[in-house]
Amino acid sequence: MGETRLFRQYGTAPLRDYFNAKVYLAPPEALRSQWKINRDTYKRGYTEDQTRF
């Protein structure tokens, strides 16, 4: 849905092929580590102690 709204202003589908936008995040290391711990505990089934190094 968001992609459709973004590309409406560019017109037709062939015209959209000329645009490529990417967003990269550079969060602080503490936040990035917490995201990884959350991912490993909830999605991968590890305990929090197993995810810390």
Side-chain angles (χ1 to χ4, degrees), residues 3-36:
E3 183 176 319
T4 303
R5 288 182 184 173
L6 175 67
F7 287 128
R8 271 190 197 153
Q9 58 187 301
Y10 295 119
T12 63
L15 186 56
R16 278 181 267 168
D17 292 337
Y18 290 101
F19 297 95
N20 185 10
K22 294 181 181 179
V23 176
Y24 294 93
L25 298 177
E29 185 59 33
L31 180 58
R32 191 169 89 66
S33 294
Q34 189 59 48
W35 286 345
K36 288 183 172 192

